[in-house]
Amino acid sequence: MTPNKILGASMNAVVINKVTKVFNPDKPNQVDALLDVDLTIAPGEFVSLIGPSGCGKSTLLRLIASLIGPTAGDVLVNGKSAAQARLDQDYGMAFQQAGLFDWRSVVKNIELPLELKGWDKAKRRARAHEMLALVKLPEFAGHMPWQLSGGMQQRVAIARALASHPPLLLMDEPFGALDEMTREHMQAELLQICAASNTTVVFVTHSIPEAAYLSDRVVVMSPRPGQITEIVDVDLGSDRDEGTREADAFYDSITAIREALRGIEHAEIRGGVDDR
Amino acid sequence: MNPRRAIDVAVPPAVFGVLFVLTWEAIVQGFDLKPYFLPAPSAIWNAFVDNFDLVRSAAFASGANALVGLLAGTLLGISVSFLLMRFNILNELVSPLAIALNAVPIIVLVAVFQNMFASTSEIPRRLMVMLIVFFIVLVNVAKGLRQVHATHLELMRSYAASPLAVLTKTRIPNALPYLFTALKIAAPTAVITAFVSEYFGGRQNGLGYFIPSNFANSKNAVAWAYVIGACLLGLTFYLISVVLESIIKQRRGAAPGGETT
Ligand SMILES: Nc1ncnc2c1ncn2[C@@H]1O[C@H](COP(=O)(O)OP(=O)(O)OP(=O)(O)O)[C@@H](O)[C@H]1O
Ligand SMILES: [Mg+2]
């Protein structure tokens, strides 16, 4: 094993170090989206971000993706700067809207990131079909996106995000637009896929049960300015199935997350009173 | 469209058309209207058959002006929308342009062009058609290049895509249906512009010249024959636009709309 690999094994997937993000600084519409956020995520870990609307979850995810840069502090992904990790396509990303390209067939949508990486056609076509099988849509390769249901489109988006086998998956409310049944189904599939490929996931959600079911750790955030108020460990083991949703430990986790979120609410109400 | 539905759609207007022509004929015959007031459809049809070659060559002259202007305007519109995008001035420029396009009768410019070229030149009309098509194409294509899904742009950024890749794999495919929409609007507009331009003088060879000149000479039935020619030419260009639209619909489930100015 090369020294590099040894380093790689012990390296953290994501390190967020005293990150502050201010939008429109020194302008009337200035927003302190994040203040002094610290978070370290180990390889293979599934971490959810939860918190009231506007607390900076998407902003934090975008910082990890290097879609935007921090105002202060730094973000490391795979031991390199977030910007470098983006150039190396070290992560895949999925949003609430599947964001498939209407003019590309399903298989060509999945091929897009590989195409941009310069893979040759045969190789990327083979990988795309492999990914379609993984998300259980092998017979839809030639379909156009609009011919698929919302849940199927979201699966294609996940296949696309995972196509280059990135070590890190960033997801912003990917199941937010799905009905409850499809949603639970997709959650189970996502866990299987990520466990099989040992992918690290950072997952933004508004759903407490979703966060509990999926995560190893749930990061609870508060707004104005966006900060991490609590990190809830979820001890449901690594083999989670439909039975997990009935388990006492599952309900305990939900309660723990809910209480952490309540704390924010109370603080906000108190803050409101103090301001007067 | 299945055949059954095609029949359902085609029958009412066809019946209406036949009834309309029959009523027209009956009124002209029944009230014994003079041909200089309103010729009977039968007389118009005879004039159309008798003058077919003349009508056809006039239709070709107008059609050529419309087609050349349509192609030139489309190419220019596409090129300029790319240039504007390159220099990031799409947003500032295009909306006012779209408003101006609707508010100002730029057709009067044909008189200005007429003055710039020899009276035997076809260039003024073609310039006029080109200008009008140019604006339609510019406004729509610019919109297509600009109104790219924010998620698509973020994805492309996450793929570390080069600006060129963003252009060829996101903006241009996004703008394509807008281009087709523009052509769909521009094709019939090009014909109308060509006719109207011919009313303003210049070379005397198109439908837009022969219709008023025959009326002026009291050859009303012949003038109406040219009107038939104008209708057929307009329909031809309209068919082009319908074909273009069906291409859009085949490529996308529901075609996103462009500006219908
Ligand atoms: N590009 C931007 N420019 C200015 N302000 C921004 C920008 N992006 C986000 N913000 C602000 O930063 C704050 C955090 O936004 P963010 O989108 O991260 O919230 P969120 O936690 O994802 O909310 P939600 O749950 O509603 O998605 C909000 O107040 C938002 O208005
Ligand atoms: Mg968000």
Side-chain angles (χ1 to χ4, degrees):
Chain A
M1 209 183 264
T2 62
N4 225 346
K5 281 237 175 100
I6 298 165
L7 197 68
S10 62
M11 197 164 60
N12 284 307
V14 178
V15 179
I16 294 160
N17 189 14
K18 289 241 167 303
V19 161
T20 294
K21 178 68 188 179
V22 181
F23 289 109
N24 313 317
D26 303 325
K27 296 213 186 103
N29 55 348
Q30 169 171 337
V31 180
D32 297 332
L34 293 172
L35 182 64
D36 275 342
V37 171
D38 285 306
L39 181 66
T40 300
I41 300 172
E45 209 179 1
F46 199 120
V47 172
S48 288
L49 308 180
I50 198 166
S53 188
C55 69
K57 304 179 292 293
S58 298
T59 302
L60 189 55
L61 205 71
R62 281 180 164 76
L63 283 163
I64 299 172
S66 174
L67 295 178
I68 53 176
T71 308
D74 48 16
V75 182
L76 296 181
V77 174
N78 270 348
K80 33 190 157 175
S81 73
Q84 187 58 46
R86 178 172 63 82
L87 293 179
D88 296 346
Q89 293 195 37
D90 279 351
Y91 66 83
M93 200 159 188
F95 301 90
Q96 177 165 4
Q97 281 157 324
L100 301 180
F101 293 77
D102 317 337
W103 52 87
R104 289 176 160 252
S105 65
V106 163
V107 72
K108 286 209 157 165
N109 261 287
I110 301 176
E111 279 179 45
L112 181 60
L114 309 176
E115 210 174 299
L116 289 164
K117 264 189 148 180
W119 288 29
D120 70 57
K121 189 165 171 129
K123 195 173 162 206
R124 61 179 197 246
R125 184 56 52 100
R127 175 63 66 82
H129 281 290
E130 198 181 294
M131 298 314 297
L132 269 176
L134 191 68
V135 296
K136 304 199 171 74
L137 290 172
E139 66 275 36
F140 289 93
H143 282 58
M144 297 305 280
W146 76 79
Q147 298 172 310
L148 272 53
S149 73
M152 288 154 88
Q153 290 187 19
Q154 200 53 260
R155 274 193 245 176
V156 175
I158 292 170
R160 175 177 62 183
L162 291 169
S164 66
H165 289 174
L168 176 63
L169 184 56
L170 304 175
M171 307 181 95
D172 197 344
E173 299 182 45
F175 306 146
L178 304 181
D179 66 88
E180 196 59 30
M181 290 307 293
T182 314
R183 197 172 172 146
E184 291 193 354
H185 189 70
M186 299 280 295
Q187 291 165 1
E189 275 183 25
L190 179 64
L191 275 189
Q192 276 174 21
I193 292 170
C194 293
S197 51
N198 197 35
T199 307
T200 313
V201 186
V202 186
F203 190 100
V204 173
T205 179
H206 275 131
S207 159
I208 298 173
E210 180 169 83
Y213 180 73
L214 291 172
S215 314
D216 298 313
R217 284 192 296 158
V218 179
V219 174
V220 180
M221 297 175 64
S222 71
R224 282 172 298 265
Q227 276 175 317
I228 295 177
T229 49
E230 202 172 324
I231 297 182
V232 179
D233 287 305
V234 180
D235 298 315
L236 292 172
S238 54
D239 292 324
R240 302 183 192 188
D241 51 25
E242 289 314 301
T244 310
R245 296 186 199 276
E246 318 276 313
D248 287 342
F250 180 62
Y251 288 110
D252 292 346
S253 299
I254 288 179
T255 306
I257 298 165
R258 185 170 286 137
E259 272 169 6
L261 281 165
R262 284 245 175 81
I264 295 167
E265 255 173 52
H266 291 153
E268 265 190 68
I269 291 162
R270 259 186 275 118
V273 171
D274 287 349
D275 280 346
R276 270 196 269 157
Chain B
M1 205 188 286
N2 63 43
R4 188 110 200 191
R5 212 177 110 61
I7 291 170
D8 286 351
V9 169
V11 164
V15 169
F16 177 80
V18 170
L19 283 179
F20 180 78
V21 171
L22 288 179
T23 313
W24 180 351
E25 184 80 32
I27 289 175
V28 172
Q29 305 282 348
F31 292 92
D32 195 19
L33 295 180
K34 297 286 166 274
Y36 62 79
F37 180 72
L38 185 67
S42 55
I44 295 172
W45 179 251
N46 286 335
F48 179 69
V49 173
D50 290 344
N51 295 285
F52 183 73
D53 287 342
L54 292 172
V55 173
R56 190 180 55 189
S57 76
F60 278 7
S62 299
N65 287 343
L67 195 63
V68 170
L70 181 64
L71 293 178
T74 303
L75 287 180
L76 194 68
I78 294 173
S79 317
V80 172
S81 57
F82 273 90
L83 269 182
L84 294 187
M85 185 191 57
R86 174 76 186 73
F87 295 107
N88 276 329
I89 40 181
L90 278 184
N91 296 336
E92 293 76 9
L93 208 64
V94 170
S95 312
L97 208 66
I99 295 164
L101 181 65
N102 283 331
V104 181
I106 49 176
I107 184 81
V108 297
L109 278 178
V110 76
V112 177
F113 295 149
Q114 214 73 264
N115 193 42
M116 291 158 71
F117 294 90
S119 63
T120 53
S121 171
E122 296 284 11
I123 294 176
R125 287 121 182 222
R126 294 181 176 177
L127 269 182
M128 196 61 239
V129 176
M130 182 187 86
L131 197 65
I132 286 188
V133 170
F134 162 74
F135 282 124
I136 296 172
V137 171
L138 174 65
V139 167
N140 281 285
V141 173
K143 200 170 171 184
L145 289 172
R146 188 167 33 113
Q147 292 190 345
V148 178
H149 214 293
T151 308
H152 288 170
L153 288 182
E154 293 210 311
L155 278 170
M156 290 304 273
R157 188 167 156 77
S158 81
Y159 302 148
S162 67
L164 183 67
V166 174
L167 185 67
T168 57
K169 294 188 196 294
T170 306
R171 291 193 187 273
I172 291 178
N174 191 66
L176 260 185
Y178 290 82
L179 173 64
F180 281 119
T181 305
L183 289 176
K184 198 190 142 212
I185 302 159
T189 310
V191 185
I192 293 167
T193 308
F195 291 158
V196 176
S197 301
E198 286 160 5
Y199 277 74
F200 281 79
R203 212 174 149 197
Q204 306 179 335
N205 60 345
L207 293 166
Y209 164 75
F210 284 113
I211 294 169
S213 72
N214 276 292
F215 275 123
N217 293 328
S218 304
K219 293 202 243 166
N220 286 17
V222 180
W224 276 96
Y226 281 105
V227 171
I228 296 183
C231 292
L232 291 178
L233 187 63
L235 273 177
T236 309
F237 273 71
Y238 181 71
L239 273 181
I240 299 176
S241 72
V242 169
V243 169
L244 288 173
E245 191 185 25
S246 74
I247 294 174
I248 314 171
K249 290 238 165 97
Q250 264 169 22
R251 281 175 50 95
R252 312 273 164 102
E259 190 113 322
T260 44
T261 46

